[in-house]
């Protein structure tokens, strides 16, 4: 188990260091993998690390343009809506992190369930 955890931590660190240079697809893959960790782990440190990775990927994704909106002005209503969706997710991540920091992992996981609805709503618009 310890080797598995170490391997997962190493992979997560590699992904997070690459996310600064990543494109939108890589940011979304990071979000997907970290979300999977958030939903499955009972380890507070691993949970918080996954949330941190999600926040970083969401912040980086805000600088990108989805394929569906290529050619749009950065100030277009659609691009503003795209960034607002990511801001919503970041707010949810922060709320979940606050609960985890307070030692309420069950509440943090409950808050994290909202991530899926945000993802689904925004995928309908921008994917």
């Amino acid at each position: 188990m310890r080797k598995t955890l170490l391997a997962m931590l190493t992979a997560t660190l590699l992904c997070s260091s690459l996310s600064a240079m990543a494109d939108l697809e890589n940011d979304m893959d990071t979000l997907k993998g970290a979300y999977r960790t958030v939903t499955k782990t009972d380890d507070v440190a691993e949970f918080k690390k996954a949330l941190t990775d999600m926040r970083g990927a969401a912040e980086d994704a805000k600088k990108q343009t989805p394929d569906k909106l290529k050619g749009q002005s950065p100030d277009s209503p659609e691009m503003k809506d795209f960034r607002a969706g990511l801001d919503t997710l970041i707010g949810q991540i922060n709320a979940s992190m606050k609960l985890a920091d307070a030692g309420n992992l069950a509440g943090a996981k409950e808050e994290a369930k909202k991530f899926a609805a945000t993802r689904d709503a925004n995928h309908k618009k921008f994917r």
Side-chain angles (χ1 to χ4, degrees):
M1 172 143 162
R2 195 166 213 192
K3 287 182 182 181
T4 303
L5 185 58
L6 183 59
M8 287 176 51
L9 181 60
T10 301
T12 302
L13 288 173
L14 286 173
C15 289
S16 66
S17 66
L18 294 175
S19 70
M21 303 181 320
D23 62 6
L24 184 59
E25 184 176 340
N26 288 338
D27 290 329
M28 294 300 138
D29 287 344
T30 299
L31 285 167
K32 179 181 175 182
Y35 179 66
R36 188 176 306 127
T37 300
V38 163
T39 60
K40 294 183 182 208
T41 189
D42 289 324
D43 181 286
V44 175
E46 186 178 23
F47 182 86
K48 290 167 63 172
K49 174 70 174 119
L51 288 178
T52 300
D53 291 345
M54 289 183 76
R55 185 185 309 119
E59 289 287 352
D60 189 60
K62 285 174 46 175
K63 301 171 193 165
Q64 311 292 329
T65 302
D67 288 339
K68 193 171 183 177
L69 301 180
K70 291 283 185 202
Q72 297 265 346
S73 163
D75 294 329
S76 72
E78 293 85 1
M79 283 299 296
K80 287 180 181 178
D81 193 27
F82 171 70
R83 289 189 298 271
L86 288 166
D87 285 335
T88 298
L89 177 62
I90 291 166
Q92 292 169 334
I93 291 167
N94 290 340
S96 186
M97 181 67 85
K98 186 175 181 180
L99 290 166
D101 285 340
N104 184 357
L105 184 61
K109 288 182 98 166
E110 191 63 34
E111 181 69 27
K113 288 180 182 179
K114 297 177 184 177
F115 301 172
T118 301
R119 175 201 61 209
D120 294 346
N122 285 284
H123 277 184
K124 284 182 185 178
K125 295 181 205 176
F126 305 113
R127 195 164 192 207

